[in-house]
Amino acid sequence: MSAFFSPRLWVLIVLLGSAWACAPPGTPGTGGQPGSQDPAVIVDQLVQGLGDMSAEFEDMTRPNQVQAWVDKLVVKVQPGEDMPQIGLMQEGEVAEYLYQRTVRKTEFMLRGQRFIDPWILIKTKDGVMGWVHEGGVRYIAPNYRDFLGMGGGSTDPAARTRGPAGDNSLSQDFLIVPGKRVGPVRLKTSETDLVSLFGPGQVSRGQVALPDKREEECTIVWAGNANEFRITWKDDTRSEIKAVYFDQPRSQWFTPQGLTVGLAASEAVKVNKAPFSYYGFNWTYSGTIHSWRKGSLAPYEKYFYAVLSPRPDAEGQKLLTKYQGNQVFTTNAEGVEHLHMVISRIVVYLD
């Protein structure tokens, strides 16, 4: 058993194991799409549901590993910037999260980005227990799916290119590489090819909403499913792709860096490893990322764009009018943390 499985996680594992054992066999080749009863999909939905039920279940489903996204992240003996230092975490280093967070949040500047977050208690790979600022880490979800023998449990985007239940078919490749591919889909993948890749019952036609509120004819793969994506075409032959749209949160689609729909803007900063800028809200290009600046996503700017949507708290509602219209703002703007912005759309172009 992995050392990263905490005692409280055993309660969750028992619940997950029961759901998995009781689940009917999956439908071969559907990869958990509509009409399938894939146990892996059932478990994913159960985890999401448990997290929504109560604070206790939310805490149980909280990831139990963290990974430093900056180099030389300071580990303190007690929470607080003025506390004695007892260690450093290197970029990419993984530590165990010990399920303790401070109530009080403090401001910390990391790679030019201001983070207002709590301190969390961790245990480093060397066994040192200490506190790090939450802004300096990304959470790694428990590998409950691997523990139950399902596979596909890794949250490392580089490893998460295959779907659930050990299905290694091309249709279970969920990696987005802007300019190159979307899973098995390339520039010259035709609508007929999509049917061959994903199955006739998983490909349909519909429309996709554009920024100017018009709608464009498109092909939909996995309609109504968390992994749904929509494709527009360069002409009526539907043989060359114009753009690929992702609008569903909690999907398995990720870029190699870890960008996905539903990701919080603060986490997108960590993915980008730098602050970024975006347009104001409530106009044609509402919330569209303006520039990734010199971050890890900057080389792909020609081949994709992402859109932010605000989920403001009470304080954010008062500030929202300030962040509107054809203006450019940064993730460091004053009070922006109250907007609770998330990535709500990713649009990819292929070359």
Side-chain angles (χ1 to χ4, degrees), residues 285-312:
Y285 298 105
S286 176
T288 300
I289 305 298
H290 169 261
S291 173
W292 294 103
R293 300 196 169 179
K294 295 182 179 180
S296 65
L297 292 167
Y300 299 96
E301 281 187 332
K302 178 181 176 182
Y303 299 110
F304 91 104
Y305 72 86
V307 178
L308 292 170
S309 291
R311 307 285 189 269

Short mmCIF file of all heavy atoms in Angstrom, two decimals, residues 285-312:
data_model
loop_
_atom_site.label_atom_id
_atom_site.label_comp_id
_atom_site.label_asym_id
_atom_site.label_seq_id
_atom_site.Cartn_x
_atom_site.Cartn_y
_atom_site.Cartn_z
N TYR A 285 -15.74 39.31 -26.35
CA TYR A 285 -14.63 38.42 -25.97
C TYR A 285 -14.49 38.34 -24.46
O TYR A 285 -13.39 38.32 -23.91
CB TYR A 285 -13.34 38.89 -26.65
CG TYR A 285 -13.45 38.83 -28.15
CD1 TYR A 285 -13.61 39.98 -28.91
CD2 TYR A 285 -13.44 37.60 -28.82
CE1 TYR A 285 -13.75 39.93 -30.29
CE2 TYR A 285 -13.58 37.53 -30.19
CZ TYR A 285 -13.73 38.70 -30.92
OH TYR A 285 -13.87 38.63 -32.29
N SER A 286 -15.61 38.26 -23.80
CA SER A 286 -15.68 38.21 -22.34
C SER A 286 -14.77 37.14 -21.74
O SER A 286 -14.90 35.95 -22.05
CB SER A 286 -17.13 37.94 -21.92
OG SER A 286 -17.23 37.81 -20.52
N GLY A 287 -13.82 37.58 -20.91
CA GLY A 287 -12.98 36.65 -20.17
C GLY A 287 -11.94 35.90 -20.98
O GLY A 287 -11.26 35.02 -20.45
N THR A 288 -11.78 36.23 -22.26
CA THR A 288 -10.81 35.52 -23.09
C THR A 288 -9.38 35.84 -22.64
O THR A 288 -9.06 37.01 -22.38
CB THR A 288 -10.98 35.90 -24.57
OG1 THR A 288 -12.30 35.55 -24.99
CG2 THR A 288 -9.97 35.17 -25.44
N ILE A 289 -8.55 34.81 -22.53
CA ILE A 289 -7.16 35.04 -22.16
C ILE A 289 -6.49 35.90 -23.22
O ILE A 289 -6.52 35.58 -24.41
CB ILE A 289 -6.39 33.71 -22.01
CG1 ILE A 289 -7.09 32.78 -21.01
CG2 ILE A 289 -4.95 33.97 -21.57
CD1 ILE A 289 -7.20 33.30 -19.61
N HIS A 290 -5.89 37.00 -22.80
CA HIS A 290 -5.24 37.93 -23.71
C HIS A 290 -3.81 37.47 -24.03
O HIS A 290 -3.39 37.48 -25.19
CB HIS A 290 -5.22 39.33 -23.08
CG HIS A 290 -4.35 40.32 -23.77
ND1 HIS A 290 -3.07 40.62 -23.34
CD2 HIS A 290 -4.56 41.07 -24.88
CE1 HIS A 290 -2.54 41.52 -24.14
NE2 HIS A 290 -3.42 41.82 -25.08
N SER A 291 -3.08 37.06 -23.00
CA SER A 291 -1.70 36.61 -23.21
C SER A 291 -1.25 35.75 -22.03
O SER A 291 -1.53 36.08 -20.87
CB SER A 291 -0.76 37.81 -23.35
OG SER A 291 0.60 37.39 -23.38
N TRP A 292 -0.54 34.68 -22.35
CA TRP A 292 0.07 33.85 -21.31
C TRP A 292 1.44 34.39 -20.93
O TRP A 292 2.16 33.78 -20.15
CB TRP A 292 0.19 32.40 -21.79
CG TRP A 292 -1.13 31.74 -22.01
CD1 TRP A 292 -1.74 31.50 -23.21
CD2 TRP A 292 -2.02 31.24 -21.01
NE1 TRP A 292 -2.95 30.88 -23.02
CE2 TRP A 292 -3.16 30.70 -21.67
CE3 TRP A 292 -1.99 31.19 -19.62
CZ2 TRP A 292 -4.23 30.13 -21.00
CZ3 TRP A 292 -3.06 30.61 -18.93
CH2 TRP A 292 -4.16 30.09 -19.62
N ARG A 293 1.76 35.52 -21.52
CA ARG A 293 3.03 36.21 -21.28
C ARG A 293 4.21 35.26 -21.57
O ARG A 293 4.27 34.66 -22.62
CB ARG A 293 3.04 36.79 -19.88
CG ARG A 293 1.89 37.80 -19.69
CD ARG A 293 2.05 38.67 -18.49
NE ARG A 293 1.08 39.76 -18.54
CZ ARG A 293 0.96 40.68 -17.61
NH1 ARG A 293 1.77 40.66 -16.56
NH2 ARG A 293 0.06 41.64 -17.73
N LYS A 294 5.09 35.10 -20.62
CA LYS A 294 6.26 34.25 -20.88
C LYS A 294 6.13 32.91 -20.17
O LYS A 294 7.14 32.25 -19.88
CB LYS A 294 7.54 34.97 -20.46
CG LYS A 294 7.83 36.22 -21.28
CD LYS A 294 9.14 36.87 -20.86
CE LYS A 294 9.42 38.11 -21.70
NZ LYS A 294 10.70 38.77 -21.30
N GLY A 295 4.90 32.48 -19.91
CA GLY A 295 4.68 31.24 -19.20
C GLY A 295 4.81 30.01 -20.07
O GLY A 295 5.07 30.09 -21.28
N SER A 296 4.57 28.85 -19.47
CA SER A 296 4.74 27.58 -20.18
C SER A 296 3.72 27.39 -21.29
O SER A 296 3.93 26.59 -22.20
CB SER A 296 4.65 26.42 -19.18
OG SER A 296 3.35 26.34 -18.61
N LEU A 297 2.59 28.12 -21.24
CA LEU A 297 1.56 28.00 -22.28
C LEU A 297 1.76 28.99 -23.42
O LEU A 297 1.08 28.90 -24.44
CB LEU A 297 0.18 28.18 -21.66
CG LEU A 297 -0.26 27.07 -20.70
CD1 LEU A 297 -1.50 27.49 -19.91
CD2 LEU A 297 -0.53 25.78 -21.45
N ALA A 298 2.67 29.94 -23.25
CA ALA A 298 2.89 30.97 -24.26
C ALA A 298 3.25 30.41 -25.64
O ALA A 298 2.77 30.93 -26.66
CB ALA A 298 3.96 31.95 -23.79
N PRO A 299 4.06 29.36 -25.75
CA PRO A 299 4.40 28.84 -27.09
C PRO A 299 3.21 28.32 -27.88
O PRO A 299 3.29 28.16 -29.09
CB PRO A 299 5.39 27.71 -26.78
CG PRO A 299 5.97 28.04 -25.45
CD PRO A 299 4.85 28.68 -24.70
N TYR A 300 2.08 28.07 -27.20
CA TYR A 300 0.91 27.50 -27.86
C TYR A 300 -0.15 28.56 -28.20
O TYR A 300 -1.21 28.22 -28.71
CB TYR A 300 0.26 26.44 -26.97
CG TYR A 300 1.16 25.27 -26.65
CD1 TYR A 300 1.88 25.22 -25.47
CD2 TYR A 300 1.28 24.20 -27.54
CE1 TYR A 300 2.71 24.15 -25.17
CE2 TYR A 300 2.10 23.12 -27.25
CZ TYR A 300 2.81 23.10 -26.06
OH TYR A 300 3.63 22.04 -25.77
N GLU A 301 0.12 29.83 -27.91
CA GLU A 301 -0.90 30.87 -28.07
C GLU A 301 -1.49 30.92 -29.48
O GLU A 301 -2.67 31.23 -29.66
CB GLU A 301 -0.33 32.24 -27.70
CG GLU A 301 -0.25 32.46 -26.20
CD GLU A 301 0.16 33.88 -25.84
OE1 GLU A 301 0.86 34.52 -26.64
OE2 GLU A 301 -0.23 34.34 -24.76
N LYS A 302 -0.68 30.61 -30.47
CA LYS A 302 -1.16 30.63 -31.86
C LYS A 302 -2.20 29.55 -32.12
O LYS A 302 -3.02 29.68 -33.04
CB LYS A 302 0.04 30.46 -32.79
CG LYS A 302 -0.30 30.42 -34.27
CD LYS A 302 0.96 30.21 -35.10
CE LYS A 302 0.64 30.07 -36.59
NZ LYS A 302 1.86 29.83 -37.40
N TYR A 303 -2.19 28.51 -31.31
CA TYR A 303 -2.99 27.33 -31.61
C TYR A 303 -4.15 27.07 -30.65
O TYR A 303 -4.85 26.07 -30.80
CB TYR A 303 -2.08 26.10 -31.64
CG TYR A 303 -1.02 26.18 -32.69
CD1 TYR A 303 0.32 26.36 -32.34
CD2 TYR A 303 -1.33 26.11 -34.05
CE1 TYR A 303 1.31 26.44 -33.31
CE2 TYR A 303 -0.36 26.19 -35.02
CZ TYR A 303 0.97 26.36 -34.65
OH TYR A 303 1.94 26.45 -35.61
N PHE A 304 -4.36 27.93 -29.68
CA PHE A 304 -5.52 27.74 -28.82
C PHE A 304 -5.82 29.02 -28.05
O PHE A 304 -4.96 29.90 -27.91
CB PHE A 304 -5.29 26.58 -27.84
CG PHE A 304 -4.69 26.97 -26.51
CD1 PHE A 304 -5.47 27.03 -25.37
CD2 PHE A 304 -3.34 27.30 -26.41
CE1 PHE A 304 -4.93 27.40 -24.14
CE2 PHE A 304 -2.79 27.66 -25.20
CZ PHE A 304 -3.59 27.70 -24.06
N TYR A 305 -7.04 29.11 -27.57
CA TYR A 305 -7.35 30.16 -26.61
C TYR A 305 -8.26 29.59 -25.53
O TYR A 305 -8.93 28.56 -25.73
CB TYR A 305 -7.97 31.39 -27.28
CG TYR A 305 -9.39 31.25 -27.79
CD1 TYR A 305 -10.48 31.47 -26.95
CD2 TYR A 305 -9.64 30.94 -29.13
CE1 TYR A 305 -11.78 31.37 -27.42
CE2 TYR A 305 -10.94 30.83 -29.61
CZ TYR A 305 -12.01 31.05 -28.75
OH TYR A 305 -13.30 30.94 -29.22
N ALA A 306 -8.26 30.24 -24.38
CA ALA A 306 -9.09 29.81 -23.26
C ALA A 306 -9.91 31.00 -22.77
O ALA A 306 -9.53 32.16 -22.98
CB ALA A 306 -8.22 29.25 -22.14
N VAL A 307 -11.02 30.69 -22.12
CA VAL A 307 -11.94 31.72 -21.64
C VAL A 307 -12.16 31.53 -20.14
O VAL A 307 -12.33 30.40 -19.66
CB VAL A 307 -13.30 31.63 -22.38
CG1 VAL A 307 -14.27 32.68 -21.85
CG2 VAL A 307 -13.09 31.81 -23.88
N LEU A 308 -12.17 32.64 -19.42
CA LEU A 308 -12.45 32.64 -17.99
C LEU A 308 -13.89 33.07 -17.73
O LEU A 308 -14.41 33.94 -18.43
CB LEU A 308 -11.52 33.60 -17.25
CG LEU A 308 -10.04 33.25 -17.17
CD1 LEU A 308 -9.26 34.44 -16.63
CD2 LEU A 308 -9.81 32.03 -16.29
N SER A 309 -14.50 32.48 -16.72
CA SER A 309 -15.82 32.93 -16.26
C SER A 309 -15.73 33.19 -14.76
O SER A 309 -15.11 32.40 -14.03
CB SER A 309 -16.89 31.88 -16.53
OG SER A 309 -17.13 31.76 -17.91
N PRO A 310 -16.32 34.29 -14.28
CA PRO A 310 -16.26 34.59 -12.84
C PRO A 310 -17.33 33.85 -12.06
O PRO A 310 -18.42 33.60 -12.57
CB PRO A 310 -16.49 36.10 -12.80
CG PRO A 310 -17.38 36.36 -14.00
CD PRO A 310 -16.97 35.35 -15.05
N ARG A 311 -17.00 33.48 -10.83
CA ARG A 311 -17.96 32.92 -9.87
C ARG A 311 -17.82 33.74 -8.60
O ARG A 311 -17.36 33.26 -7.57
CB ARG A 311 -17.65 31.44 -9.59
CG ARG A 311 -17.54 30.55 -10.82
CD ARG A 311 -18.91 30.25 -11.42
NE ARG A 311 -18.82 29.23 -12.46
CZ ARG A 311 -18.64 29.48 -13.74
NH1 ARG A 311 -18.50 30.74 -14.14
NH2 ARG A 311 -18.59 28.51 -14.63
N PRO A 312 -18.19 35.03 -8.65
CA PRO A 312 -17.83 35.97 -7.58
C PRO A 312 -18.53 35.68 -6.25
O PRO A 312 -19.67 35.23 -6.21
CB PRO A 312 -18.28 37.32 -8.14
CG PRO A 312 -19.37 36.99 -9.11
CD PRO A 312 -18.98 35.68 -9.71
#
